[in-house]
Amino acid sequence: MKRQQEAMQYMLSQKGENTVLVCLHGRALRILLCHLTEMEVCQMDDFPHTNTALYIVEYENGKYNIVDHYNTKHLDDLEIDA
């Protein structure tokens, strides 16, 4: 979590950066979402995840807000060859 906090502070310190894509493994994603939303890490399983699922988070006035939760719409038309 300390590395994630340092990374978030670095991203927030970059002037002119309005949109940032952060790619993480599932467990790291859940830990980060707990940190950003001030939830206890023991509640990380409240955040579902699957490969390429998206969480859109906005940052304003020192607070993070999840505005799109576990978005997988981009996978709807995916065809899988068996």
Side-chain angles (χ1 to χ4, degrees), residues 63-74:
K63 292 284 185 183
Y64 297 92
N65 182 42
I66 298 174
V67 296
D68 197 355
H69 182 269
Y70 188 62
N71 184 323
T72 59
K73 292 176 187 168
H74 56 284

Side-chain angles (χ1 to χ4, degrees), residues 51-79:
N51 289 343
T52 74
L54 302 173
Y55 281 83
I56 298 176
V57 180
E58 290 182 346
Y59 178 78
E60 187 173 7
N61 299 323
K63 292 284 185 183
Y64 297 92
N65 182 42
I66 298 174
V67 296
D68 197 355
H69 182 269
Y70 188 62
N71 184 323
T72 59
K73 292 176 187 168
H74 56 284
L75 302 175
D76 287 349
D77 294 328
L78 184 65
E79 293 184 26

Side-chain angles (χ1 to χ4, degrees), residues 16-31:
E17 296 289 337
N18 296 317
T19 303
V20 177
L21 173 65
V22 178
C23 300
L24 298 167
H25 293 281
R27 181 79 46 201
L29 170 67
R30 289 173 163 182
I31 291 169

Side-chain angles (χ1 to χ4, degrees), residues 1-31:
M1 186 178 292
K2 182 179 180 193
R3 287 193 323 244
Q4 290 180 351
Q5 290 170 335
E6 290 172 1
M8 293 303 297
Q9 288 304 315
Y10 175 79
M11 287 183 267
L12 291 172
S13 73
Q14 302 305 299
K15 302 298 179 205
E17 296 289 337
N18 296 317
T19 303
V20 177
L21 173 65
V22 178
C23 300
L24 298 167
H25 293 281
R27 181 79 46 201
L29 170 67
R30 289 173 163 182
I31 291 169

